[in-house]
Amino acid sequence: MTGMLSEQVCLVTGASRGIGQAIALAFAREGGTVYGTATTGPGAAGIEKAFAEAGLDGYGRVLNVNDAGGITDLVKEITDRSGTPAILVNNAGIIRDNLMLRMRDDEWEDVVRTNMTSVFRVSRAVLRGMVRVRHGRIINISSVVGTTGNAGQANYAATKAGMIGFTKSLALEVAARGITVNAISPGFIETDMTAALNDEQRAAMMREIPLKRFGLPQDIAGAALFLASCTGNYITGQTLHVNGGLCRP
């Protein structure tokens, strides 16, 4: 299949639903050889089913992003089977919301490990191949709360803010090797998380959005495709805010 990502090998973590799945499908539609990861076997099977139902080629794989050995093994499998991953989207993440005074150590540590440490480990695993071929795209999915904060989400917001600092620093390290590193900061997106909100909560959030709607996963996928393709060649170390005009102090 020809397209903007033709012959490019792509790895998208957390691709079983929502934003991750939308990105994986968008990349496959543009000719990428896409591997999407989930934490369970049924989740990985669901990724392959989504590809098949869309008439696209793609692969689902089980990956615990907290397992350093598993990350190494998966990148080796992808490289041996399809070639060096040229595009990485770090999307896997969790929430463990709680007020700081009530937050347990494990609620903090689980979120930091899954949302932040995994970005370091997966990026490091693919960088060796990217450096060798002097080409690569790393895209980190952050969040609006990484810049605005959010009550009850000190752990989550810290990881999303940290992701932005990581993006800027790594971009400086690898630019000379033809590798770009950028972040996307989604606003309020229609996902499982926002679907759980009640009408009052949704209305309050909608009042803050100038476009007066929640974003769709496809809106984030479009931004990721822009950064992954040749149209984003001269963009690195940046955070692209995709939030319908949302701006909170």
Side-chain angles (χ1 to χ4, degrees):
M1 180 185 293
T2 59
M4 288 193 288
L5 303 184
S6 181
E7 300 183 1
Q8 300 291 301
V9 179
C10 315
L11 173 59
V12 182
T13 67
S16 61
R17 62 185 184 277
I19 290 171
Q21 184 176 92
I23 292 173
L25 292 172
F27 284 8
R29 289 191 189 98
E30 288 298 328
T33 300
V34 184
Y35 289 80
T37 76
T39 56
T40 67
I47 293 170
E48 297 206 343
K49 181 181 179 182
F51 282 129
E53 289 178 346
L56 301 168
D57 294 326
Y59 307 95
R61 291 292 185 269
V62 176
L63 177 66
N64 176 357
V65 293
N66 295 320
D67 178 3
I71 293 169
T72 300
D73 290 345
L74 177 60
V75 172
K76 183 179 187 304
E77 178 196 345
I78 294 171
T79 302
D80 291 345
R81 177 171 182 163
S82 302
T84 301
I87 300 166
L88 167 66
V89 179
N90 285 305
N91 175 68
I94 61 171
I95 58 171
R96 295 284 187 272
D97 295 352
N98 212 341
L99 296 175
M100 270 294 297
L101 286 175
R102 300 174 183 170
M103 187 173 291
R104 303 188 308 270
D105 284 358
D106 65 287
E107 290 175 328
W108 174 270
E109 291 162 0
D110 287 351
V111 171
V112 170
R113 184 169 58 249
T114 301
N115 295 9
M116 188 72 255
T117 304
S118 71
V119 172
F120 156 69
R121 285 176 171 162
V122 181
S123 298
R124 183 178 61 181
V126 301
L127 268 175
R128 292 183 177 91
M130 291 179 177
V131 167
R132 186 168 57 251
V133 299
R134 302 183 71 85
H135 172 75
R137 302 280 183 268
I138 296 176
I139 301 167
N140 300 316
I141 307 301
S142 182
S143 169
V144 62
V145 304
T147 51
T148 66
N150 199 35
Q153 287 193 314
N155 49 2
Y156 183 78
T159 63
K160 294 304 182 178
M163 192 179 290
I164 292 172
F166 174 89
T167 295
K168 292 178 178 294
S169 299
L170 183 57
L172 294 172
E173 292 184 20
V174 300
R177 299 290 184 171
I179 302 165
T180 65
V181 188
N182 291 288
I184 296 174
S185 181
F188 300 133
I189 307 299
E190 292 282 7
T191 63
D192 292 347
M193 291 184 196
T194 53
L197 299 171
N198 61 40
D199 290 343
E200 184 179 348
Q201 290 170 318
R202 290 178 67 88
M205 295 167 77
M206 200 73 73
R207 286 194 292 269
E208 298 186 54
I209 306 172
L211 285 183
K212 299 305 177 187
R213 70 172 178 89
F214 282 11
L216 300 175
Q218 291 77 10
D219 294 322
I220 309 304
L225 183 60
F226 166 68
L227 291 173
S229 70
C230 62
T231 55
N233 278 345
Y234 201 54
I235 300 172
T236 195
Q238 304 304 308
T239 301
L240 179 56
H241 296 270
V242 184
N243 59 23
L246 173 68
C247 181
R248 293 191 297 173

